[in-house]
Amino acid sequence: MTTMMLVGATGLVGQQVLQQALACEQVARVVAPTRRALPAHPRLHNPVVDFDHLPEDAAWWAVDAVVCALGTTIKVAGSQAAFYRVDHDLPLRVAQLALRHGAQAYALNSALGADPRSRVFYSRTKGELERDLQALGYRSLTLVRPGLIGGERHESRPAEQIGVRVSQWLGPLLPPRYRVVPAERIAHHLLRAALAAEPGCTVLPSEALV
């Protein structure tokens, strides 16, 4: 059985990962650090933390695998710098601390088009995170790259919502990589990757998720 860390547990994909992990017999315990307390569960350890000051020596860093579903938008973050911190710096810091305490596998919810050389800030940020995670030396690293994500979000993302509606309307006419991927499918692949812990770096493109 696996002890798993989940960061981003309150987001669209993270909520699905948490739900599936707590229902999975292979998962002994889920460690989910959040800013606000989550509903209690017998197999959930929920440290309430300040992500600006993560406790580096906390015993709960000692997990077998990590699933990262952290992510925001520039509009919500308020600036490119703030966005970069949430979508690059925090996932990387979590990866460093968990690896230091013995984690062997890391599964990241990245994005379609992630490329450290991209001229698009969003794609470049995702690509730089992927590059920097690969440099850490995890035994198992999985990069999941969905396109549009289907599901009900708490915060408003008008452009993404329009894109999802158009993609759902066009349906089978679109190439598989541009179709909407339900959040629960992304969560399924993230959880499966963390539990399988296949050696090396595995990239799952959007078309492999639907």
Side-chain angles (χ1 to χ4, degrees):
M1 296 181 72
T2 298
T3 299
M4 191 191 85
M5 177 172 288
L6 169 62
V7 285
T10 59
L12 176 59
V13 173
Q15 290 180 61
Q16 292 293 327
V17 175
L18 181 60
Q19 179 179 326
Q20 293 179 29
L22 291 176
C24 179
E25 294 182 353
Q26 289 179 261
V27 178
R29 184 175 66 139
V30 177
V31 178
T34 56
R35 296 184 190 278
R36 300 179 186 84
L38 299 170
H41 186 281
R43 289 192 291 124
L44 173 64
H45 179 52
N46 176 217
V48 176
V49 301
D50 176 357
F51 280 93
D52 291 324
H53 302 92
L54 288 170
E56 298 185 5
D57 296 320
W60 46 260
W61 286 110
V63 297
D64 302 307
V66 180
V67 171
C68 179
L70 279 172
T72 186
T73 64
I74 295 176
K75 181 179 179 180
V76 172
S79 68
Q80 286 191 345
F83 170 84
Y84 194 87
R85 183 180 169 282
V86 173
D87 277 57
H88 175 277
D89 295 350
L90 284 179
L92 184 62
R93 187 59 179 150
V94 166
Q96 291 168 334
L97 291 172
L99 182 63
R100 182 190 301 174
H101 287 78
Q104 296 292 306
Y106 191 101
L108 171 72
N109 186 38
S110 186
L112 177 70
D115 184 345
R117 299 175 301 277
S118 176
R119 294 183 180 181
V120 179
F121 177 74
Y122 178 86
S123 300
R124 187 167 67 251
T125 298
K126 296 294 188 181
E128 289 178 359
L129 173 58
E130 291 187 358
R131 177 200 64 199
D132 295 344
L133 286 173
Q134 290 180 64
L136 292 181
Y138 266 88
R139 178 181 176 275
S140 174
L141 175 63
T142 303
L143 307 172
V144 178
R145 296 177 177 170
L148 291 169
I149 302 175
E152 294 296 323
R153 294 188 183 275
H154 293 307
E155 78 274 14
S156 176
R157 296 189 181 185
E160 184 173 315
Q161 290 169 355
I162 291 171
V164 168
R165 290 191 190 118
V166 170
S167 296
Q168 289 174 332
W169 179 66
L170 292 174
L173 298 177
L174 290 173
R177 71 175 308 178
Y178 296 115
R179 295 175 190 171
V180 175
V181 184
E184 57 266 27
R185 289 296 300 162
I186 301 169
H188 167 79
H189 286 283
L190 288 166
L191 179 59
R192 187 171 68 175
L195 293 175
E198 294 290 341
C201 180
T202 302
V203 176
L204 292 179
S206 195
E207 57 267 31
L209 307 177
V210 293

